[in-house]
Amino acid sequence: MSFTITCPICGERDVYEFHFGGRDRGPPPSHDNLTIEEYLRYAQFRTTRTEAQLEWWFHSNGCGSWFTTWRNPANNREEKPQEMSNDQQ
Amino acid sequence: MSLKLRNNQVKSSETRAICGLERLWGTSPLKSHYDVVLIGGGIHGLATAYYLAKEHGIKDVAVLERRYIGYGGSGRNTAIVRANQRTQENVKLYDEGLKLWPKLIDELDFNLMFFNCGNLNLAHSEAAVSAFRLAVSTANFCNVQSELLDPQQCKELVPALDISDRPYHPIHGGMYHGPGGIVRHDAVVWGLAKGAFKHGAHIHQGVEVLGIDTDGQKITGVQTNRGSISCNRLAVMAGGYSASVCEMVGMELPVHPLTIQAMVTQPLKPFLHHVVSSGAYHCYANQTLKGEVATGAHMDPQVNYSTTPTAWYMKHQAEALCEFLPCLKGVKFMRIWAGLADMTPDMAPIMDGNVMYDGLFIDVGWGYFGFKSGPITGKYMAEFIADDEAPDILKPFALNRFLENRYMGETAGATNYGHWN
Ligand SMILES: Cc1cc2nc3c(=O)[nH]c(=O)nc-3n(C[C@H](O)[C@H](O)[C@H](O)COP(=O)(O)OP(=O)(O)OC[C@H]3O[C@@H](n4cnc5c(N)ncnc54)[C@H](O)[C@@H]3O)c2cc1C
Ligand SMILES: [Zn+2]
């Protein structure tokens, strides 16, 4: 489905200008005592829910910046989770 | 006449048969307990129900489908079947799957319109030719027909191909897999539903699983919009929605829901007698028995649950097709649609049993390959559920491979060189 993503530099643009960088999962786990299983879980196991998630996007056909934005995979709208939009940020 | 028959008040089965209205499957009362509950009324759920009832005598089976059967990928795919996957474990399973179609048509007494026209993959670089050489060797090693062609031989198979150096990506060669082709996807859904029902399985449409019940280490049932249903064994076969169903028991999967789009042109005189795929143009096409060119391949790269097509993709597809099949210039697209693919990182499916809980089976992560392999997987999943032990052919597909760093090599043959169907 075609939709728009808002680049912090260029503004709202067609999604096909961007490269999807995946959900933001926080910093990678520390390598000290990291087991293969823990690492693989971090790298590939995740559930995509029908609620807003924080994601990385790359404006590949634009200004070339990497940034994060909230998007809901259910409707592809850029929207913040309920809790965040309530507190006016 | 159709008006009169509309309200289901058809008098006798004789009248129904004469009018061609004989129902392929019937409705059953929703019981509060089943031995086996299968979540998802796609090809995988229906095939598993069919084989459980027919070959294992397990008839206390319910398929729960939240919309209507075939609502998911099973009713939206481009119906391509073939057995030339990249790795031996996969080739073996898909080869059995391919050989099953004629048998299934007999068994179900239903015409699935199997058209084994063969699949031609185009190579647009020397690297792609080398990749095909590897794929052909694997196929031949597993006794699956597959051969490498030069551009002239491709042209002999598909005279409409432009093998000159005019296209942006000229054709360097091809890989031809004769036994593959097309099967009518709706017919497979209906035929399996007919067979499953005939052997005693219940098919419940409009029943959505909202939660999964467990007791200690065991699966005990499901919560649905029609109340709770207890069961001894439960299988998740929910296609693109599988990861969210598994989340109901807190199980995370390496599965990403992605939208795939497909479209058909207006009907044309027969000119394309094989399935043609091109990795470089990211496009595959075949001419249906009705004359339409059915074409697809694009997968939206971001995870999402939407099934809305895009104008961008229609344009891409028109440009790609006109490059290697220039005779299609000016032809109009008639319909476009989209469905979900549940993609794994190694592009191979996950089939497992007694995962996390006793009695919990999963058959997920089919990406864009789950149509061709539907019935054969149903057959083996039924065996798995009945015997409570994984059949040898399914063992390499267990979920654990993703935690042990034993990914299957399917990606090596696929995205760059043209296998996405
Ligand atoms: C455009 C497109 C083209 C494709 N082309 C090909 C091809 O050429 N060849 C090929 O082999 N494969 C192809 N595929 C892939 C193939 O369609 C799928 O892999 C296959 O249909 C999966 O079947 P399934 O039975 O596992 O799932 P589905 O057919 O997706 O069925 C899952 C069902 O589960 C139901 N469900 C979900 N959640 C719940 C719930 N909570 N409770 C109850 N029911 C639920 C859904 O409504 C759905 O009907 C294509 C897919 C798409 C989208
Ligand atoms: Zn930008």
Side-chain angles (χ1 to χ4, degrees):
Chain A
M1 160 178 179
S2 209
F3 56 95
T4 57
I5 290 289
T6 309
C7 168
I9 294 171
C10 312
E12 191 179 342
R13 309 298 290 246
D14 190 290
V15 65
Y16 284 106
E17 289 187 11
F18 298 88
H19 174 88
F20 177 60
R23 181 156 101 209
D24 178 62
R25 315 202 80 214
S30 149
H31 279 229
D32 302 337
N33 306 319
L34 185 69
T35 64
I36 289 182
E37 177 170 336
E38 280 162 358
Y39 179 71
L40 293 171
R41 260 191 205 286
Y42 167 80
Q44 290 293 356
F45 283 63
R46 67 204 62 182
T47 305
T48 303
R49 302 190 184 88
T50 51
E51 63 189 32
Q53 59 178 26
L54 187 64
E55 296 174 338
W56 283 96
W57 288 85
F58 173 47
H59 200 179
S60 45
N61 290 347
C63 65
S65 44
W66 276 101
F67 58 93
T68 56
T69 184
W70 291 89
R71 177 186 65 110
N72 186 342
N75 56 19
N76 283 326
R77 298 248 161 74
E78 282 183 286
E79 61 185 33
K80 297 210 161 143
Q82 214 75 47
E83 321 85 77
M84 284 182 70
S85 41
N86 286 345
D87 54 47
Q88 305 287 339
Q89 64 147 312
Chain B
M1 185 179 67
S2 60
L3 267 182
K4 254 197 220 151
L5 296 177
R6 213 151 145 195
N7 55 4
N8 274 351
Q9 299 285 316
V10 188
K11 292 291 179 303
S12 64
S13 64
E14 200 186 346
T15 324
R16 284 200 300 267
I18 290 167
C19 302
L21 288 179
E22 196 65 75
R23 282 193 179 277
L24 292 175
W25 66 93
T27 46
S28 321
L30 185 64
K31 299 197 301 166
S32 59
H33 176 84
Y34 287 93
D35 184 3
V36 180
V37 165
L38 309 169
I39 306 176
I43 287 170
H44 286 253
L46 293 166
T48 306
Y50 170 68
Y51 284 108
L52 275 171
K54 175 172 164 287
E55 293 198 345
H56 302 277
I58 299 179
K59 294 176 190 286
D60 192 18
V61 176
V63 176
L64 306 183
E65 165 54 53
R66 74 167 161 197
R67 302 290 295 264
Y68 51 85
I69 60 169
Y71 168 81
S74 298
R76 298 166 191 256
N77 63 73
T78 40
I80 294 166
V81 299
R82 57 181 177 82
N84 55 348
Q85 304 296 107
R86 181 62 205 88
T87 57
Q88 285 177 47
E89 296 87 343
N90 283 270
V91 171
K92 210 165 129 193
L93 182 71
Y94 286 84
D95 184 37
E96 270 197 47
L98 192 54
K99 290 177 178 146
L100 186 60
W101 294 111
K103 218 176 135 217
L104 198 61
I105 291 170
D106 271 358
E107 254 180 56
L108 296 172
D109 191 20
F110 199 67
N111 186 359
L112 306 179
M113 298 171 77
F114 180 27
F115 176 35
N116 54 342
C117 56
N119 314 55
L120 174 67
N121 280 84
L122 300 174
H124 299 271
S125 65
E126 285 311 309
V129 173
S130 310
F132 283 2
R133 203 167 277 133
L134 216 58
V136 166
S137 310
T138 304
N140 294 347
F141 181 75
C142 301
N143 273 324
V144 168
Q145 265 181 50
S146 180
E147 55 192 304
L148 208 59
L149 305 185
D150 64 27
Q152 195 53 46
Q153 290 170 310
C154 295
K155 176 96 181 160
E156 278 158 26
L157 271 181
V158 181
L161 279 182
D162 185 348
I163 58 164
S164 73
D165 58 6
R166 183 201 58 85
Y168 187 77
H169 300 296
I171 295 170
H172 284 234
M175 173 169 77
Y176 183 63
H177 172 51
I182 307 288
V183 179
R184 173 81 198 275
H185 57 344
D186 298 315
V188 179
V189 171
W190 300 331
L192 286 169
K194 174 187 177 211
F197 181 74
K198 186 178 136 205
H199 289 284
H202 285 191
I203 298 163
H204 297 296
Q205 304 184 86
V207 178
E208 177 170 9
V209 173
L210 303 168
I212 297 176
D213 299 329
T214 56
D215 181 12
Q217 262 315 297
K218 235 195 108 27
I219 285 292
T220 55
V222 290
Q223 299 293 328
T224 77
N225 58 333
R226 303 258 315 266
S228 37
I229 300 169
S230 60
C231 64
N232 304 328
R233 291 167 277 188
L234 178 70
V236 180
M237 302 177 163
Y241 309 91
S242 292
S244 17
V245 174
C246 286
E247 201 194 14
M248 293 172 186
V249 284
M251 186 196 294
E252 248 193 339
L253 294 176
V255 166
H256 311 270
L258 299 166
T259 312
I260 321 183
Q261 305 183 33
M263 60 187 84
V264 293
T265 67
Q266 64 194 107
L268 305 168
K269 282 185 188 163
F271 78 100
L272 180 59
H273 307 295
H274 308 280
V275 181
V276 183
S277 325
S278 157
Y281 285 111
H282 216 66
C283 171
Y284 60 80
N286 72 278
Q287 191 168 19
T288 68
L289 298 174
K290 272 193 286 186
E292 301 160 347
V293 176
T295 176
H298 180 64
M299 188 156 70
D300 294 343
Q302 63 279 342
V303 290
N304 82 109
Y305 287 102
S306 99
T307 51
T308 322
T310 60
W312 184 93
Y313 176 52
M314 234 186 295
K315 176 170 174 286
H316 163 91
Q317 203 70 355
E319 287 170 354
L321 280 175
C322 294
E323 276 278 280
F324 62 92
L325 293 170
C327 63
L328 286 177
K329 275 183 190 154
V331 170
K332 294 183 176 61
F333 284 124
M334 278 201 319
R335 285 180 286 124
I336 178 166
W337 67 92
L340 292 184
D342 42 338
M343 192 56 87
T344 60
D346 64 3
M347 294 177 87
I350 304 170
M351 289 170 277
D352 214 333
N354 299 316
V355 258
M356 236 174 122
Y357 291 93
D358 294 341
L360 179 60
F361 294 80
I362 56 175
D363 168 24
V364 304
W366 281 98
Y368 23 59
F369 310 117
F371 170 67
K372 58 179 75 62
S373 48
I376 193 69
T377 302
K379 188 170 180 203
Y380 282 115
M381 282 307 292
E383 186 181 323
F384 198 166
I385 295 169
D387 300 350
D388 215 25
E389 199 185 304
D392 285 339
I393 196 165
L394 296 191
K395 281 182 182 152
F397 298 93
L399 176 62
N400 254 352
R401 72 178 189 272
F402 293 105
L403 293 173
E404 293 165 359
N405 214 6
R406 288 186 294 107
Y407 286 29
M408 283 181 159
E410 289 299 312
T411 45
T415 38
N416 292 327
Y417 306 117
H419 270 165
W420 341 243
N421 43 64

